[in-house]
Amino acid sequence: PPPAGFGARPQEAGEPNLEVYVGNLSYSIDDDSIKVALKDCGTITNIRWITDRDSGEFKGAGFIQFSSLEESAKVIAMHGQDCMGRPLKTSYAKGRPDKPAGAGGKKFENKLSEKPEGCTKIFCGNLPYDIDDDKMKAFFKDCGDVTAIRWLTDKVTGDFKGVGFVDFGNGASVDLAVKKAGEQCSGRPIRIDYAN
């Protein structure tokens, strides 16, 4: 059974990045089985298991890195889903090693993945929780017509994850849209990346 206190994760899953914390794992999990469990999310580029500093004993958790923000967001959406008989705990990793400490506060960084061929859709992260279709269309009004918007919600609780996908139907609009990365939307700098 899941440990006491397991339940819906707080709405805020952390600031989107490529690395995801995955906890409440089976103690028999290994690299191969986590890749199988998360195969529908995308390409895993790195796995770091959390072990006890003294005994080296596995703590039932790890950090999994993906090749795009779209992929790591899919893992965040799996919070509470069954993995080898246990409900997963997921959140974005904090203070990842590749994030330099900017002088005078946290520096916003938006690393774009490689643009897929024929890309017409973008991933948006760090969105305000009062975001809706109209606000998103207004944010991208200078980029072209938005043809579809999909918000990512927790499959268990229905809570909004602070991320979504915006489809423009053409690549020229996507090129304009990714340049808006870091611009403020309701007081939050938006993360943007190409999506398939």
Side-chain angles (χ1 to χ4, degrees):
F6 183 89
R9 194 199 42 255
Q11 233 185 16
E12 192 70 70
E15 188 183 347
N17 64 68
L18 299 177
E19 195 170 52
V20 177
Y21 166 84
V22 181
N24 196 37
L25 296 171
S26 162
Y27 282 84
S28 60
I29 200 133
D30 57 18
D31 286 19
D32 291 337
S33 50
I34 195 73
K35 283 176 182 174
V36 170
L38 304 179
K39 68 180 187 302
D40 294 336
C41 298
T43 306
I44 292 175
T45 58
N46 191 42
I47 298 171
R48 286 190 297 126
W49 299 117
I50 300 172
T51 54
D52 186 282
R53 281 183 187 172
D54 299 322
S55 68
E57 189 179 324
F58 176 51
K59 292 276 201 176
F63 292 99
I64 317 293
Q65 192 163 333
F66 288 84
S67 60
S68 76
L69 291 173
E70 181 187 7
E71 293 173 344
S72 61
K74 288 178 183 174
V75 183
I76 295 299
M78 288 180 71
H79 178 78
Q81 288 189 31
D82 182 86
C83 176
M84 294 173 71
R86 300 173 72 119
L88 279 177
K89 285 193 171 189
T90 63
S91 62
Y92 288 111
K94 291 177 185 150
R96 64 193 195 280
D98 62 330
K99 195 167 190 176
K106 199 161 74 170
K107 184 170 169 253
F108 179 86
E109 274 192 296
N110 194 92
K111 291 180 182 175
L112 284 172
S113 58
E114 195 174 332
K115 185 181 179 183
E117 197 174 331
C119 178
T120 63
K121 188 165 65 170
I122 58 167
F123 164 91
C124 297
N126 201 38
L127 295 170
Y129 283 87
D130 63 353
I131 195 78
D132 57 26
D133 286 19
D134 290 340
K135 286 180 184 174
M136 199 87 263
K137 285 175 181 174
F139 184 76
F140 289 114
K141 67 181 187 296
D142 301 330
C143 304
D145 289 333
V146 172
T147 58
I149 297 173
R150 184 166 65 89
W151 306 114
L152 212 60
T153 55
D154 189 298
K155 288 182 180 174
V156 179
T157 64
D159 288 338
F160 175 51
K161 295 282 190 182
V163 297
F165 297 94
V166 180
D167 200 325
F168 293 95
N170 68 83
S173 293
V174 165
D175 291 337
L176 292 171
V178 295
K179 290 178 181 170
K180 291 178 73 73
E183 287 188 23
Q184 298 278 331
C185 179
S186 295
R188 300 182 74 148
I190 302 303
R191 285 192 174 279
I192 297 174
D193 198 4
Y194 301 112
N196 287 315

